[in-house]
Amino acid sequence: MIANCTNCRFSSLDLGKGPQAGKVLCRLNPPSPFAIAIPTNQGITVQVLTIWATVIADDVCHQHLPAGKLQ
């Protein structure tokens, strides 16, 4: 079996409606936070979101763990 993101337990397909919708995500490491400035009547408010690392299905890393394998 080839060790790539398609068969890794840390990868998942984002089915949401956000900026990563339809992309393969790597959940090995914690998501990265980022901020969006949103103008309001009182000035600017900041919304903090998190994004998981986006990968391609054929990507290979050296921390691959096959899906379904228990440690």
Side-chain angles (χ1 to χ4, degrees):
M1 178 187 309
I2 298 174
N4 60 26
C5 293
T6 57
N7 57 22
C8 180
R9 77 176 316 168
F10 299 114
S11 68
S12 66
L13 180 62
D14 188 343
L15 300 176
K17 296 181 181 178
Q20 294 183 306
K23 297 181 181 174
V24 179
L25 308 177
C26 178
R27 296 181 184 263
L28 174 65
N29 296 309
S32 300
F34 73 99
I36 298 176
I38 301 171
T40 65
N41 292 336
Q42 292 81 26
I44 294 179
T45 185
V46 176
Q47 182 176 5
V48 178
L49 303 172
T50 56
I51 287 193
W52 293 95
T54 304
V55 295
I56 299 172
D58 293 337
D59 282 350
V60 176
C61 79
H62 299 287
Q63 305 218 8
H64 178 271
L65 188 60
K69 181 178 180 180
L70 298 176
Q71 291 186 2

Tab-separated table of all heavy atoms in Angstrom:
chain	number	residue	atom	x	y	z
A	1	MET	N	0.839	-1.179	0.000
A	1	MET	CA	0.000	0.000	0.000
A	1	MET	C	0.884	1.242	0.000
A	1	MET	O	1.834	1.350	0.752
A	1	MET	CB	-0.884	-0.007	1.245
A	1	MET	CG	-1.744	1.206	1.353
A	1	MET	SD	-2.679	1.404	2.894
A	1	MET	CE	-3.488	-0.131	3.081
A	2	ILE	N	0.544	2.194	-0.853
A	2	ILE	CA	1.291	3.443	-0.928
A	2	ILE	C	0.864	4.337	0.240
A	2	ILE	O	-0.322	4.519	0.494
A	2	ILE	CB	1.039	4.152	-2.268
A	2	ILE	CG1	1.531	3.281	-3.417
A	2	ILE	CG2	1.711	5.506	-2.295
A	2	ILE	CD1	1.199	3.809	-4.776
A	3	ALA	N	1.841	4.891	0.934
A	3	ALA	CA	1.566	5.750	2.092
A	3	ALA	C	1.366	7.185	1.635
A	3	ALA	O	2.313	7.933	1.484
A	3	ALA	CB	2.707	5.654	3.089
A	4	ASN	N	0.122	7.556	1.362
A	4	ASN	CA	-0.181	8.941	1.001
A	4	ASN	C	-1.427	9.406	1.750
A	4	ASN	O	-1.998	8.666	2.552
A	4	ASN	CB	-0.325	9.103	-0.512
A	4	ASN	CG	-1.434	8.256	-1.092
A	4	ASN	OD1	-2.396	7.915	-0.419
A	4	ASN	ND2	-1.300	7.898	-2.348
A	5	CYS	N	-1.853	10.615	1.502
A	5	CYS	CA	-2.949	11.210	2.271
A	5	CYS	C	-4.305	10.535	2.046
A	5	CYS	O	-5.187	10.650	2.886
A	5	CYS	CB	-3.059	12.692	1.955
A	5	CYS	SG	-1.625	13.623	2.561
A	6	THR	N	-4.480	9.841	0.945
A	6	THR	CA	-5.778	9.215	0.695
A	6	THR	C	-6.074	8.082	1.670
A	6	THR	O	-7.232	7.779	1.926
A	6	THR	CB	-5.879	8.666	-0.741
A	6	THR	OG1	-4.817	7.751	-0.963
A	6	THR	CG2	-5.837	9.773	-1.751
A	7	ASN	N	-5.033	7.455	2.218
A	7	ASN	CA	-5.270	6.343	3.142
A	7	ASN	C	-4.664	6.596	4.527
A	7	ASN	O	-4.365	5.656	5.247
A	7	ASN	CB	-4.763	5.029	2.543
A	7	ASN	CG	-3.297	5.081	2.176
A	7	ASN	OD1	-2.546	5.888	2.699
A	7	ASN	ND2	-2.902	4.227	1.260
A	8	CYS	N	-4.506	7.849	4.907
A	8	CYS	CA	-3.932	8.201	6.204
A	8	CYS	C	-5.046	8.519	7.199
A	8	CYS	O	-6.039	9.160	6.853
A	8	CYS	CB	-3.013	9.410	6.055
A	8	CYS	SG	-2.247	9.912	7.614
A	9	ARG	N	-4.883	8.094	8.441
A	9	ARG	CA	-5.913	8.341	9.457
A	9	ARG	C	-6.011	9.819	9.837
A	9	ARG	O	-6.998	10.238	10.416
A	9	ARG	CB	-5.660	7.490	10.682
A	9	ARG	CG	-4.551	8.023	11.569
A	9	ARG	CD	-4.337	7.267	12.826
A	9	ARG	NE	-5.590	6.954	13.469
A	9	ARG	CZ	-5.733	6.114	14.465
A	9	ARG	NH1	-4.694	5.507	14.942
A	9	ARG	NH2	-6.885	5.885	14.994
A	10	PHE	N	-5.009	10.623	9.526
A	10	PHE	CA	-5.024	12.040	9.883
A	10	PHE	C	-5.673	12.926	8.819
A	10	PHE	O	-5.875	14.109	9.042
A	10	PHE	CB	-3.607	12.548	10.151
A	10	PHE	CG	-2.928	11.833	11.280
A	10	PHE	CD1	-1.814	11.045	11.047
A	10	PHE	CD2	-3.403	11.933	12.570
A	10	PHE	CE1	-1.186	10.377	12.082
A	10	PHE	CE2	-2.789	11.269	13.619
A	10	PHE	CZ	-1.682	10.486	13.370
A	11	SER	N	-5.983	12.381	7.658
A	11	SER	CA	-6.572	13.203	6.596
A	11	SER	C	-8.093	13.081	6.609
A	11	SER	O	-8.660	12.075	7.016
A	11	SER	CB	-6.023	12.797	5.227
A	11	SER	OG	-6.474	11.519	4.872
A	12	SER	N	-8.734	14.147	6.171
A	12	SER	CA	-10.191	14.140	6.063
A	12	SER	C	-10.607	15.127	4.979
A	12	SER	O	-9.876	16.064	4.666
A	12	SER	CB	-10.840	14.511	7.393
A	12	SER	OG	-10.539	15.841	7.728
A	13	LEU	N	-11.765	14.891	4.423
A	13	LEU	CA	-12.314	15.781	3.404
A	13	LEU	C	-13.248	16.768	4.104
A	13	LEU	O	-14.138	16.359	4.851
A	13	LEU	CB	-13.081	14.975	2.360
A	13	LEU	CG	-13.723	15.754	1.225
A	13	LEU	CD1	-12.644	16.467	0.402
A	13	LEU	CD2	-14.532	14.835	0.353
A	14	ASP	N	-13.021	18.061	3.880
A	14	ASP	CA	-13.866	19.081	4.499
A	14	ASP	C	-15.174	19.173	3.721
A	14	ASP	O	-15.187	19.513	2.551
A	14	ASP	CB	-13.146	20.426	4.499
A	14	ASP	CG	-13.893	21.479	5.301
A	14	ASP	OD1	-15.093	21.287	5.585
A	14	ASP	OD2	-13.279	22.487	5.668
A	15	LEU	N	-16.273	18.872	4.389
A	15	LEU	CA	-17.587	18.911	3.747
A	15	LEU	C	-18.370	20.169	4.102
A	15	LEU	O	-19.534	20.294	3.755
A	15	LEU	CB	-18.397	17.672	4.148
A	15	LEU	CG	-17.771	16.332	3.760
A	15	LEU	CD1	-18.611	15.193	4.288
A	15	LEU	CD2	-17.590	16.231	2.268
A	16	GLY	N	-17.725	21.105	4.788
A	16	GLY	CA	-18.393	22.339	5.210
A	16	GLY	C	-18.563	23.325	4.068
A	16	GLY	O	-18.339	23.007	2.903
A	17	LYS	N	-18.927	24.537	4.433
A	17	LYS	CA	-19.151	25.600	3.451
A	17	LYS	C	-18.102	26.697	3.565
A	17	LYS	O	-18.221	27.729	2.934
A	17	LYS	CB	-20.537	26.201	3.654
A	17	LYS	CG	-21.648	25.216	3.391
A	17	LYS	CD	-22.999	25.848	3.579
A	17	LYS	CE	-24.089	24.837	3.338
A	17	LYS	NZ	-25.422	25.388	3.552
A	18	GLY	N	-17.073	26.485	4.384
A	18	GLY	CA	-16.049	27.494	4.615
A	18	GLY	C	-15.012	27.550	3.507
A	18	GLY	O	-15.177	26.953	2.435
A	19	PRO	N	-13.896	28.239	3.773
A	19	PRO	CA	-12.861	28.417	2.754
A	19	PRO	C	-12.141	27.124	2.380
A	19	PRO	O	-11.497	27.062	1.347
A	19	PRO	CB	-11.892	29.416	3.392
A	19	PRO	CG	-12.120	29.294	4.853
A	19	PRO	CD	-13.570	28.926	5.017
A	20	GLN	N	-12.248	26.089	3.201
A	20	GLN	CA	-11.577	24.827	2.893
A	20	GLN	C	-12.549	23.756	2.403
A	20	GLN	O	-12.194	22.589	2.325
A	20	GLN	CB	-10.818	24.335	4.120
A	20	GLN	CG	-9.678	25.247	4.505
A	20	GLN	CD	-8.896	24.706	5.679
A	20	GLN	OE1	-9.461	24.401	6.716
A	20	GLN	NE2	-7.599	24.599	5.515
A	21	ALA	N	-13.749	24.122	2.048
A	21	ALA	CA	-14.758	23.168	1.594
A	21	ALA	C	-14.275	22.389	0.378
A	21	ALA	O	-13.740	22.958	-0.569
A	21	ALA	CB	-16.056	23.895	1.264
A	22	GLY	N	-14.421	21.084	0.430
A	22	GLY	CA	-14.046	20.216	-0.680
A	22	GLY	C	-12.574	19.888	-0.756
A	22	GLY	O	-12.141	19.211	-1.673
A	23	LYS	N	-11.778	20.353	0.195
A	23	LYS	CA	-10.333	20.111	0.173
A	23	LYS	C	-9.969	19.008	1.164
A	23	LYS	O	-10.687	18.764	2.127
A	23	LYS	CB	-9.573	21.383	0.508
A	23	LYS	CG	-9.802	22.475	-0.519
A	23	LYS	CD	-9.031	23.717	-0.199
A	23	LYS	CE	-9.311	24.781	-1.254
A	23	LYS	NZ	-8.704	26.041	-0.908
A	24	VAL	N	-8.833	18.354	0.916
A	24	VAL	CA	-8.324	17.341	1.832
A	24	VAL	C	-7.504	18.051	2.904
A	24	VAL	O	-6.633	18.858	2.601
A	24	VAL	CB	-7.458	16.296	1.093
A	24	VAL	CG1	-6.911	15.262	2.062
A	24	VAL	CG2	-8.262	15.615	0.002
A	25	LEU	N	-7.801	17.758	4.171
A	25	LEU	CA	-7.138	18.410	5.289
A	25	LEU	C	-6.287	17.415	6.053
A	25	LEU	O	-6.664	16.260	6.209
A	25	LEU	CB	-8.171	19.004	6.247
A	25	LEU	CG	-9.223	19.909	5.624
A	25	LEU	CD1	-10.201	20.350	6.691
A	25	LEU	CD2	-8.581	21.091	4.947
A	26	CYS	N	-5.146	17.870	6.541
A	26	CYS	CA	-4.289	17.051	7.390
A	26	CYS	C	-4.530	17.480	8.831
A	26	CYS	O	-4.342	18.635	9.184
A	26	CYS	CB	-2.815	17.227	7.031
A	26	CYS	SG	-1.733	16.261	8.107
A	27	ARG	N	-4.929	16.542	9.669
A	27	ARG	CA	-5.228	16.846	11.071
A	27	ARG	C	-4.167	16.283	12.016
A	27	ARG	O	-4.430	16.056	13.188
A	27	ARG	CB	-6.616	16.324	11.421
A	27	ARG	CG	-7.689	17.040	10.615
A	27	ARG	CD	-9.066	16.546	10.961
A	27	ARG	NE	-10.067	17.152	10.126
A	27	ARG	CZ	-10.798	18.203	10.453
A	27	ARG	NH1	-10.609	18.796	11.611
A	27	ARG	NH2	-11.710	18.675	9.644
A	28	LEU	N	-2.965	16.067	11.495
A	28	LEU	CA	-1.869	15.585	12.324
A	28	LEU	C	-1.460	16.634	13.356
A	28	LEU	O	-1.290	16.336	14.519
A	28	LEU	CB	-0.667	15.206	11.454
A	28	LEU	CG	0.604	14.808	12.187
A	28	LEU	CD1	0.380	13.521	12.979
A	28	LEU	CD2	1.747	14.625	11.214
A	29	ASN	N	-1.323	17.872	12.910
A	29	ASN	CA	-0.938	18.985	13.792
A	29	ASN	C	-2.143	19.874	14.049
A	29	ASN	O	-3.099	19.867	13.280
A	29	ASN	CB	0.182	19.795	13.145
A	29	ASN	CG	1.431	18.961	12.976
A	29	ASN	OD1	1.887	18.333	13.922
A	29	ASN	ND2	1.963	18.928	11.770
A	30	PRO	N	-2.126	20.669	15.118
A	30	PRO	CA	-3.257	21.557	15.411
A	30	PRO	C	-3.480	22.571	14.290
A	30	PRO	O	-2.551	22.907	13.556
A	30	PRO	CB	-2.833	22.275	16.692
A	30	PRO	CG	-1.686	21.539	17.234
A	30	PRO	CD	-1.066	20.777	16.113
A	31	PRO	N	-4.711	23.065	14.164
A	31	PRO	CA	-4.984	24.071	13.132
A	31	PRO	C	-4.290	25.394	13.446
A	31	PRO	O	-3.982	25.691	14.592
A	31	PRO	CB	-6.510	24.229	13.186
A	31	PRO	CG	-6.895	23.782	14.552
A	31	PRO	CD	-5.893	22.742	14.955
A	32	SER	N	-4.057	26.168	12.402
A	32	SER	CA	-3.417	27.482	12.547
A	32	SER	C	-4.491	28.562	12.678
A	32	SER	O	-5.422	28.611	11.870
A	32	SER	CB	-2.566	27.801	11.321
A	32	SER	OG	-1.563	26.835	11.169
A	33	PRO	N	-4.370	29.449	13.670
A	33	PRO	CA	-5.350	30.530	13.801
A	33	PRO	C	-5.028	31.684	12.848
A	33	PRO	O	-3.877	31.910	12.502
A	33	PRO	CB	-5.184	30.972	15.252
A	33	PRO	CG	-3.785	30.618	15.593
A	33	PRO	CD	-3.433	29.410	14.773
A	34	PHE	N	-6.070	32.377	12.412
A	34	PHE	CA	-5.888	33.603	11.653
A	34	PHE	C	-7.053	34.533	11.961
A	34	PHE	O	-8.098	34.101	12.447
A	34	PHE	CB	-5.748	33.333	10.150
A	34	PHE	CG	-7.020	32.950	9.468
A	34	PHE	CD1	-7.748	33.889	8.760
A	34	PHE	CD2	-7.489	31.655	9.513
A	34	PHE	CE1	-8.931	33.545	8.129
A	34	PHE	CE2	-8.661	31.290	8.886
A	34	PHE	CZ	-9.387	32.241	8.188
A	35	ALA	N	-6.874	35.808	11.719
A	35	ALA	CA	-7.887	36.806	12.079
A	35	ALA	C	-8.423	37.509	10.842
A	35	ALA	O	-7.700	37.741	9.877
A	35	ALA	CB	-7.284	37.825	13.030
A	36	ILE	N	-9.709	37.838	10.903
A	36	ILE	CA	-10.368	38.591	9.841
A	36	ILE	C	-10.924	39.867	10.466
A	36	ILE	O	-11.653	39.810	11.455
A	36	ILE	CB	-11.520	37.784	9.212
A	36	ILE	CG1	-10.997	36.519	8.559
A	36	ILE	CG2	-12.286	38.624	8.207
A	36	ILE	CD1	-12.077	35.625	8.011
A	37	ALA	N	-10.584	41.008	9.883
A	37	ALA	CA	-11.129	42.284	10.354
A	37	ALA	C	-12.497	42.502	9.711
A	37	ALA	O	-12.648	42.394	8.499
A	37	ALA	CB	-10.189	43.414	9.988
A	38	ILE	N	-13.503	42.801	10.555
A	38	ILE	CA	-14.865	43.013	10.064
A	38	ILE	C	-15.319	44.408	10.492
A	38	ILE	O	-15.380	44.705	11.686
A	38	ILE	CB	-15.814	41.947	10.643
A	38	ILE	CG1	-15.332	40.555	10.241
A	38	ILE	CG2	-17.243	42.194	10.182
A	38	ILE	CD1	-16.068	39.432	10.921
A	39	PRO	N	-15.631	45.281	9.509
A	39	PRO	CA	-16.091	46.617	9.863
A	39	PRO	C	-17.495	46.574	10.484
A	39	PRO	O	-18.348	45.817	10.039
A	39	PRO	CB	-16.098	47.376	8.545
A	39	PRO	CG	-15.911	46.378	7.475
A	39	PRO	CD	-15.490	45.091	8.087
A	40	THR	N	-17.704	47.360	11.529
A	40	THR	CA	-19.009	47.489	12.180
A	40	THR	C	-19.316	48.970	12.367
A	40	THR	O	-18.486	49.832	12.075
A	40	THR	CB	-19.012	46.791	13.559
A	40	THR	OG1	-18.107	47.482	14.419
A	40	THR	CG2	-18.617	45.332	13.460
A	41	ASN	N	-20.492	49.275	12.885
A	41	ASN	CA	-20.871	50.668	13.151
A	41	ASN	C	-19.989	51.295	14.225
A	41	ASN	O	-19.791	52.502	14.251
A	41	ASN	CB	-22.339	50.757	13.566
A	41	ASN	CG	-23.256	50.414	12.424
A	41	ASN	OD1	-22.878	50.533	11.263
A	41	ASN	ND2	-24.461	49.978	12.742
A	42	GLN	N	-19.469	50.470	15.137
A	42	GLN	CA	-18.639	50.970	16.227
A	42	GLN	C	-17.146	50.989	15.882
A	42	GLN	O	-16.330	51.356	16.704
A	42	GLN	CB	-18.835	50.101	17.481
A	42	GLN	CG	-20.202	50.222	18.114
A	42	GLN	CD	-21.256	49.381	17.412
A	42	GLN	OE1	-20.923	48.386	16.786
A	42	GLN	NE2	-22.506	49.791	17.497
A	43	GLY	N	-16.778	50.564	14.714
A	43	GLY	CA	-15.363	50.502	14.326
A	43	GLY	C	-15.073	49.172	13.628
A	43	GLY	O	-15.780	48.788	12.715
A	44	ILE	N	-14.054	48.486	14.101
A	44	ILE	CA	-13.668	47.205	13.513
A	44	ILE	C	-13.659	46.146	14.599
A	44	ILE	O	-13.161	46.370	15.694
A	44	ILE	CB	-12.280	47.298	12.855
A	44	ILE	CG1	-12.325	48.246	11.663
A	44	ILE	CG2	-11.793	45.928	12.414
A	44	ILE	CD1	-11.009	48.421	10.962
A	45	THR	N	-14.226	45.002	14.283
A	45	THR	CA	-14.146	43.852	15.179
A	45	THR	C	-13.302	42.789	14.497
A	45	THR	O	-13.160	42.790	13.277
A	45	THR	CB	-15.549	43.317	15.525
A	45	THR	OG1	-15.421	42.283	16.485
A	45	THR	CG2	-16.246	42.751	14.304
A	46	VAL	N	-12.718	41.920	15.271
A	46	VAL	CA	-11.847	40.880	14.719
A	46	VAL	C	-12.453	39.519	15.026
A	46	VAL	O	-12.826	39.235	16.160
A	46	VAL	CB	-10.426	40.967	15.327
A	46	VAL	CG1	-9.564	39.827	14.837
A	46	VAL	CG2	-9.793	42.296	14.986
A	47	GLN	N	-12.572	38.711	13.995
A	47	GLN	CA	-13.042	37.343	14.165
A	47	GLN	C	-11.856	36.418	13.964
A	47	GLN	O	-11.161	36.497	12.951
A	47	GLN	CB	-14.141	37.007	13.168
A	47	GLN	CG	-14.682	35.612	13.343
A	47	GLN	CD	-15.851	35.313	12.411
A	47	GLN	OE1	-16.211	36.131	11.562
A	47	GLN	NE2	-16.419	34.146	12.556
A	48	VAL	N	-11.593	35.551	14.927
A	48	VAL	CA	-10.475	34.616	14.837
A	48	VAL	C	-11.009	33.258	14.389
A	48	VAL	O	-11.945	32.712	14.983
A	48	VAL	CB	-9.744	34.485	16.192
A	48	VAL	CG1	-8.624	33.468	16.087
A	48	VAL	CG2	-9.202	35.834	16.621
A	49	LEU	N	-10.432	32.724	13.330
A	49	LEU	CA	-10.799	31.421	12.787
A	49	LEU	C	-9.571	30.515	12.812
A	49	LEU	O	-8.451	30.978	12.990
A	49	LEU	CB	-11.303	31.566	11.351
A	49	LEU	CG	-12.477	32.508	11.138
A	49	LEU	CD1	-12.730	32.696	9.661
A	49	LEU	CD2	-13.715	31.981	11.822
A	50	THR	N	-9.794	29.237	12.612
A	50	THR	CA	-8.670	28.301	12.517
A	50	THR	C	-8.756	27.536	11.199
A	50	THR	O	-9.851	27.272	10.694
A	50	THR	CB	-8.663	27.291	13.679
A	50	THR	OG1	-9.913	26.616	13.717
A	50	THR	CG2	-8.412	27.979	15.001
A	51	ILE	N	-7.597	27.209	10.652
A	51	ILE	CA	-7.525	26.477	9.390
A	51	ILE	C	-6.576	25.297	9.561
A	51	ILE	O	-5.469	25.443	10.084
A	51	ILE	CB	-7.036	27.382	8.244
A	51	ILE	CG1	-8.127	28.356	7.854
A	51	ILE	CG2	-6.591	26.581	7.052
A	51	ILE	CD1	-7.893	29.086	6.571
A	52	TRP	N	-7.025	24.139	9.119
A	52	TRP	CA	-6.170	22.950	9.100
A	52	TRP	C	-5.278	23.012	7.864
A	52	TRP	O	-5.612	23.659	6.873
A	52	TRP	CB	-7.027	21.685	9.031
A	52	TRP	CG	-7.835	21.448	10.258
A	52	TRP	CD1	-9.130	21.826	10.464
A	52	TRP	CD2	-7.420	20.790	11.451
A	52	TRP	NE1	-9.535	21.446	11.714
A	52	TRP	CE2	-8.506	20.801	12.341
A	52	TRP	CE3	-6.230	20.188	11.862
A	52	TRP	CZ2	-8.445	20.235	13.606
A	52	TRP	CZ3	-6.183	19.623	13.121
A	52	TRP	CH2	-7.268	19.653	13.978
A	53	ALA	N	-4.164	22.318	7.904
A	53	ALA	CA	-3.259	22.268	6.745
A	53	ALA	C	-3.980	21.587	5.580
A	53	ALA	O	-4.607	20.546	5.742
A	53	ALA	CB	-1.999	21.491	7.101
A	54	THR	N	-3.911	22.208	4.400
A	54	THR	CA	-4.519	21.644	3.202
A	54	THR	C	-3.468	20.833	2.456
A	54	THR	O	-2.342	21.284	2.264
A	54	THR	CB	-5.041	22.767	2.286
A	54	THR	OG1	-5.937	23.589	3.020
A	54	THR	CG2	-5.755	22.210	1.081
A	55	VAL	N	-3.845	19.622	2.057
A	55	VAL	CA	-2.921	18.737	1.349
A	55	VAL	C	-3.573	18.248	0.065
A	55	VAL	O	-4.767	18.414	-0.148
A	55	VAL	CB	-2.510	17.529	2.224
A	55	VAL	CG1	-1.709	17.969	3.427
A	55	VAL	CG2	-3.717	16.732	2.662
A	56	ILE	N	-2.768	17.639	-0.773
A	56	ILE	CA	-3.253	16.997	-1.991
A	56	ILE	C	-3.310	15.501	-1.701
A	56	ILE	O	-2.484	14.975	-0.953
A	56	ILE	CB	-2.314	17.306	-3.170
A	56	ILE	CG1	-2.285	18.813	-3.418
A	56	ILE	CG2	-2.744	16.566	-4.425
A	56	ILE	CD1	-1.250	19.241	-4.436
A	57	ALA	N	-4.275	14.809	-2.263
A	57	ALA	CA	-4.474	13.392	-1.963
A	57	ALA	C	-3.220	12.552	-2.183
A	57	ALA	O	-2.991	11.572	-1.489
A	57	ALA	CB	-5.632	12.843	-2.790
A	58	ASP	N	-2.377	12.929	-3.134
A	58	ASP	CA	-1.167	12.157	-3.434
A	58	ASP	C	0.050	12.592	-2.630
A	58	ASP	O	1.136	12.065	-2.825
A	58	ASP	CB	-0.838	12.241	-4.927
A	58	ASP	CG	-1.884	11.541	-5.783
A	58	ASP	OD1	-2.576	10.655	-5.254
A	58	ASP	OD2	-2.012	11.888	-6.962
A	59	ASP	N	-0.106	13.588	-1.739
A	59	ASP	CA	1.018	14.022	-0.906
A	59	ASP	C	1.487	12.871	-0.013
A	59	ASP	O	0.700	12.026	0.393
A	59	ASP	CB	0.623	15.198	-0.020
A	59	ASP	CG	0.593	16.515	-0.769
A	59	ASP	OD1	1.050	16.550	-1.929
A	59	ASP	OD2	0.114	17.507	-0.192
A	60	VAL	N	2.774	12.890	0.302
A	60	VAL	CA	3.354	11.878	1.182
A	60	VAL	C	4.128	12.595	2.278
A	60	VAL	O	4.854	13.537	2.024
A	60	VAL	CB	4.311	10.953	0.391
A	60	VAL	CG1	4.980	9.958	1.315
A	60	VAL	CG2	3.572	10.224	-0.714
A	61	CYS	N	3.940	12.152	3.518
A	61	CYS	CA	4.749	12.674	4.613
A	61	CYS	C	5.333	11.484	5.368
A	61	CYS	O	4.953	10.341	5.125
A	61	CYS	CB	3.947	13.582	5.543
A	61	CYS	SG	2.904	12.724	6.714
A	62	HIS	N	6.213	11.746	6.282
A	62	HIS	CA	6.871	10.646	6.978
A	62	HIS	C	6.211	10.333	8.319
A	62	HIS	O	6.745	9.597	9.114
A	62	HIS	CB	8.357	10.979	7.171
A	62	HIS	CG	9.053	11.158	5.857
A	62	HIS	ND1	9.353	10.097	5.041
A	62	HIS	CD2	9.456	12.258	5.196
A	62	HIS	CE1	9.932	10.537	3.937
A	62	HIS	NE2	10.014	11.851	4.012
A	63	GLN	N	5.000	10.873	8.538
A	63	GLN	CA	4.262	10.577	9.752
A	63	GLN	C	2.964	9.850	9.432
A	63	GLN	O	2.038	9.820	10.234
A	63	GLN	CB	3.988	11.876	10.501
A	63	GLN	CG	5.264	12.621	10.763
A	63	GLN	CD	5.273	13.292	12.105
A	63	GLN	OE1	4.391	13.091	12.908
A	63	GLN	NE2	6.273	14.080	12.330
A	64	HIS	N	2.893	9.270	8.260
A	64	HIS	CA	1.700	8.575	7.783
A	64	HIS	C	1.341	7.424	8.720
A	64	HIS	O	2.186	6.674	9.190
A	64	HIS	CB	1.971	8.040	6.371
A	64	HIS	CG	0.810	7.268	5.811
A	64	HIS	ND1	0.669	5.922	6.001
A	64	HIS	CD2	-0.241	7.687	5.074
A	64	HIS	CE1	-0.432	5.524	5.406
A	64	HIS	NE2	-1.001	6.578	4.836
A	65	LEU	N	0.062	7.299	9.011
A	65	LEU	CA	-0.453	6.188	9.795
A	65	LEU	C	-1.707	5.701	9.066
A	65	LEU	O	-2.657	6.462	8.906
A	65	LEU	CB	-0.796	6.642	11.212
A	65	LEU	CG	-1.169	5.556	12.200
A	65	LEU	CD1	-0.021	4.561	12.371
A	65	LEU	CD2	-1.504	6.171	13.537
A	66	PRO	N	-1.712	4.441	8.620
A	66	PRO	CA	-2.857	3.956	7.841
A	66	PRO	C	-4.185	4.114	8.593
A	66	PRO	O	-4.235	3.968	9.808
A	66	PRO	CB	-2.542	2.481	7.612
A	66	PRO	CG	-1.060	2.381	7.760
A	66	PRO	CD	-0.692	3.421	8.769
A	67	ALA	N	-5.231	4.404	7.866
A	67	ALA	CA	-6.565	4.563	8.456
A	67	ALA	C	-6.979	3.256	9.120
A	67	ALA	O	-6.738	2.164	8.601
A	67	ALA	CB	-7.568	4.951	7.394
A	68	GLY	N	-7.549	3.361	10.297
A	68	GLY	CA	-8.036	2.197	11.012
A	68	GLY	C	-7.018	1.495	11.883
A	68	GLY	O	-7.350	0.611	12.646
A	69	LYS	N	-5.744	1.897	11.815
A	69	LYS	CA	-4.720	1.252	12.626
A	69	LYS	C	-4.738	1.838	14.030
A	69	LYS	O	-4.691	3.027	14.222
A	69	LYS	CB	-3.345	1.461	12.004
A	69	LYS	CG	-2.238	0.779	12.798
A	69	LYS	CD	-0.893	0.955	12.130
A	69	LYS	CE	0.195	0.269	12.927
A	69	LYS	NZ	1.496	0.411	12.337
A	70	LEU	N	-4.815	0.979	15.030
A	70	LEU	CA	-4.816	1.425	16.424
A	70	LEU	C	-3.397	1.394	16.964
A	70	LEU	O	-2.596	0.549	16.595
A	70	LEU	CB	-5.697	0.526	17.277
A	70	LEU	CG	-7.176	0.498	16.881
A	70	LEU	CD1	-7.915	-0.506	17.740
A	70	LEU	CD2	-7.788	1.882	17.024
A	71	GLN	N	-3.112	2.315	17.866
A	71	GLN	CA	-1.780	2.356	18.461
A	71	GLN	C	-1.805	1.742	19.840
A	71	GLN	O	-2.705	1.845	20.577
A	71	GLN	CB	-1.278	3.785	18.562
A	71	GLN	CG	-0.997	4.365	17.219
A	71	GLN	CD	-0.351	5.743	17.341
A	71	GLN	OE1	-0.082	6.233	18.437
A	71	GLN	NE2	-0.104	6.365	16.218
